[in-house]
């Protein structure tokens, strides 16, 4: 809060405002549902996307995210009413994940989180990590996380779950190697987050969640409070980074 820009927070804390601001980096369609007038755009959206994700606009940590699969007899009037009663919601076209990242856990979008810092017209990388789904989940939140080497994009720690003891050198579901694995097209994703940070340059710290689609790296979402302390579990000390941020 001490180092945040209140105007940028209004964007980052609303998933649809963030989408509208950075639309070209999402490379997919999204709409918001907040009032009855949104019904026609909703029906039009459903005509193009029979599978999509629904997310509460102000949620975090994957809370409330649903994967919607429309059937031929799905009642769109009823479904729209459900979204209205749930509160403000964003509907997103699904990301078609590239095999290089899907191999870890195919049913979820496995993301890289990169935390950037804007200071003195310079964008620097504070932290890089990867999050992997498990157990058939459709999101990677709260599943496995691991540290990633900022320079080369190599996963440098075993996967770790916030809910249990134990470390995973290989993914417990797919047996794919985690420790030492290479995140694909790493220089491309670093270039992308630096361009993104420039778009919101008055905000000091932003955590970018990115996925590798078949069209390349895309934004999943941006976070004003990116929980950089999570890598303490991988033995990665963050004191120097914290002190540098609040100077």
């Amino acid at each position: 809060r001490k180092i945040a820009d209140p105007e940028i927070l209004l964007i980052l804390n609303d998933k649809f405002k963030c989408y509208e601001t950075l639309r070209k980096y999402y490379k997919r369609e999204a709409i918001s549902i907040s009032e009855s007038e949104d019904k026609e755009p909703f029906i039009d959206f459903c005509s193009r996307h029979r599978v999509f994700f629904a997310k509460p606009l102000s949620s975090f940590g994957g809370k409330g995210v649903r994967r919607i699969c429309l059937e031929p007899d799905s009642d769109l009037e009823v479904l729209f009413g459900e979204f209205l009663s749930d509160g403000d919601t964003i509907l997103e076209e699904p990301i078609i994940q590239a095999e290089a990242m899907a191999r870890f856990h195919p049913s979820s979008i496995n993301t890289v989180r990169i935390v950037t810092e804007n200071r003195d017209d310079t964008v620097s990388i504070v932290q890089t990590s990867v999050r992997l789904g498990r157990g058939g989940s459709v999101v990677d939140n709260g599943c496995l996380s691991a540290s990633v080497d900022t320079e080369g994009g190599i996963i440098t720690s075993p996967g770790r779950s916030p809910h249990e003891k134990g470390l995973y050198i290989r993914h417990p579901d797919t047996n794919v190697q985690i420790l030492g694995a290479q995140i694909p097209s790493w220089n491309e994703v670093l270039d992308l987050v630096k361009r993104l940070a420039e778009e919101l340059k008055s905000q000091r710290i932003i955590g970018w969640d990115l996925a590798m689609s078949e069209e390349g790296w895309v934004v999943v979402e941006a976070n004003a409070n990116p929980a950089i302390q999570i890598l303490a579990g991988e033995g990665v000390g963050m004191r120097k980074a914290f002190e540098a941020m609040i100077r």
Side-chain angles (χ1 to χ4, degrees):
R1 288 191 295 269
K2 178 179 178 181
I3 59 177
D5 180 329
E7 291 187 8
I8 301 298
L9 285 183
L10 293 176
I11 296 172
L12 294 175
N13 291 333
D14 183 312
K15 295 184 190 302
F16 193 67
K17 286 181 181 177
C18 193
Y19 169 78
E20 289 186 307
T21 303
L22 302 170
R23 182 190 301 261
K24 65 182 178 181
Y25 301 103
Y26 280 70
K27 298 182 181 179
R28 61 191 183 279
E29 185 179 5
I31 63 169
S32 66
I33 303 296
S34 58
E35 56 188 8
S36 59
E37 285 74 13
D38 295 323
K39 184 167 69 172
E40 186 173 334
F42 166 72
I43 292 174
D44 190 42
F45 178 86
C46 291
S47 72
R48 292 188 297 278
H49 307 293
R50 304 302 290 176
V51 178
F52 55 86
F53 282 85
K55 306 175 183 179
L57 279 185
S58 300
S59 71
F60 59 91
K63 295 176 182 176
V65 175
R66 291 193 289 159
R67 184 173 185 266
I68 308 296
C69 299
L70 297 177
E71 301 294 339
D73 60 349
S74 293
D75 191 327
L76 298 185
E77 295 272 352
V78 171
L79 185 58
F80 180 75
E82 289 177 4
F83 288 138
L84 275 185
S85 63
D86 288 343
D88 294 347
T89 302
I90 182 172
L91 308 183
E92 295 184 18
E93 175 186 356
I95 296 168
I96 307 302
Q97 186 171 215
E99 173 58 27
M101 290 300 291
R103 65 192 183 96
F104 290 104
H105 184 256
S107 68
S108 63
I109 299 299
N110 305 303
T111 60
V112 167
R113 169 163 293 185
I114 301 181
V115 180
T116 58
E117 180 182 19
N118 272 312
R119 186 198 295 266
D120 301 326
D121 294 323
T122 300
V123 177
S124 58
I125 307 296
V126 175
Q127 184 190 83
T128 51
S129 60
V130 64
R131 296 187 300 181
L132 309 171
R134 64 178 297 192
S137 66
V138 297
V139 296
D140 59 6
N141 305 82
C143 294
L144 298 177
S145 62
S147 178
V148 175
D149 170 57
T150 300
E151 295 300 320
I154 302 292
I155 300 177
T156 56
S157 72
R160 175 180 176 271
S161 168
H163 306 300
E164 63 183 40
K165 294 181 179 179
L167 299 173
Y168 295 95
I169 292 176
R170 290 182 173 273
H171 195 287
D173 300 329
T174 60
N175 203 39
V176 171
Q177 183 84 12
I178 296 175
L179 180 62
Q182 172 72 59
I183 302 296
S185 303
W186 185 247
N187 288 336
E188 290 179 21
V189 76
L190 292 182
D191 289 343
L192 173 59
V193 294
K194 289 177 180 178
R195 294 200 306 273
L196 287 163
E198 285 285 345
E199 297 272 0
L200 303 175
K201 64 193 309 177
S202 61
Q203 175 69 13
R204 176 83 67 83
I205 300 295
I206 304 177
W208 304 97
D209 292 338
L210 304 120
M212 190 180 191
S213 75
E214 292 182 343
E215 300 178 33
W217 286 96
V218 298
V219 174
V220 176
E221 61 183 36
N223 303 272
N225 181 15
I228 67 173
Q229 75 277 7
I230 192 170
L231 287 189
E234 277 71 66
V236 179
M238 295 304 301
R239 177 168 179 161
K240 289 182 179 179
F242 283 137
E243 290 176 338
M245 288 178 203
I246 62 174
R247 277 204 307 268

